[in-house]
């Protein structure tokens, strides 16, 4: 009597394994990703970067996982004037000058493609 349930279970196991394999979300590696930011402990989503003329808008997150909604801050950077503003409640703050050495500067320099990277100061020395 005890063998019949074991035989039945042994025959049922492969069917369960196949059913579980069908539940796997294959192709889910194409989901959005977050890129680490230079000079900051944060990440941004390149596909959500918004360019409106000279102004870039982006959101900084704490986690690399795009499923986690852990916003550090929302920023707008004017690539022409080198100013930035923080966005809270959908409204930007007044613009502030973005200076080298500030935490947001390396990110802005990369996204705005400013030519004054490491070689900028070498020109003077």
């Amino acid at each position: 009597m005890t063998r019949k349930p074991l035989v039945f279970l042994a025959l049922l196991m492969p069917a369960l394994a196949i059913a579980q394999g069908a539940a796997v979300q294959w192709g889910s590696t194409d989901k959005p990703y977050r890129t680490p930011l230079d000079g900051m402990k944060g990440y941004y989503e390149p596909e959500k970067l918004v360019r409106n003329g000279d102004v870039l808008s982006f959101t900084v997150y704490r986690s690399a996982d795009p499923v986690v909604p852990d916003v550090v801050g929302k920023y707008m950077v004017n690539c022409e004037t080198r100013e930035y503003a923080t966005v809270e409640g959908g409204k930007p703050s007044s613009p502030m000058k973005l200076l080298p050495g500030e935490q947001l500067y390396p990110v802005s320099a990369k996204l705005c493609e400013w030519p004054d990277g490491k070689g900028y100061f070498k020109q003077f020395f």
Side-chain angles (χ1 to χ4, degrees):
M1 255 187 171
T2 59
R3 289 189 180 217
K4 286 184 182 179
L6 291 177
V7 171
F8 178 71
L9 187 59
L11 293 173
L12 185 63
M13 291 299 281
L16 289 174
I18 291 170
Q20 287 179 349
V24 174
Q25 298 287 330
W26 296 110
S28 61
T29 56
D30 294 334
K31 67 182 179 181
Y33 63 95
R34 292 182 181 165
T35 303
L37 293 168
D38 296 334
M40 290 184 79
K41 293 181 180 178
Y43 302 86
Y44 79 105
E45 295 176 345
E47 67 277 355
K48 291 188 179 177
L49 185 68
V50 178
R51 183 180 290 271
N52 186 4
D54 291 332
V55 178
L56 292 176
S57 300
F58 59 96
T59 304
V60 177
Y61 302 92
R62 284 186 188 90
S63 172
D65 186 5
V67 177
V68 181
D70 54 351
V71 175
V72 173
K74 295 181 180 188
Y75 301 97
M76 297 173 67
V77 176
N78 188 322
C79 294
E80 183 67 29
T81 62
R82 296 188 182 209
E83 295 175 317
Y84 77 99
T86 57
V87 180
E88 291 185 27
K91 295 184 179 183
S93 66
S94 59
M96 296 168 270
K97 199 68 172 169
L98 188 58
L99 302 172
E102 291 186 24
Q103 191 174 21
L104 200 57
Y105 188 86
V107 176
S108 302
K110 177 184 175 186
L111 296 176
C112 291
E113 299 174 354
W114 292 335
D116 57 2
K118 295 178 182 175
Y120 180 73
F121 292 106
K122 288 183 181 179
Q123 296 176 12
F124 296 108
F125 297 110

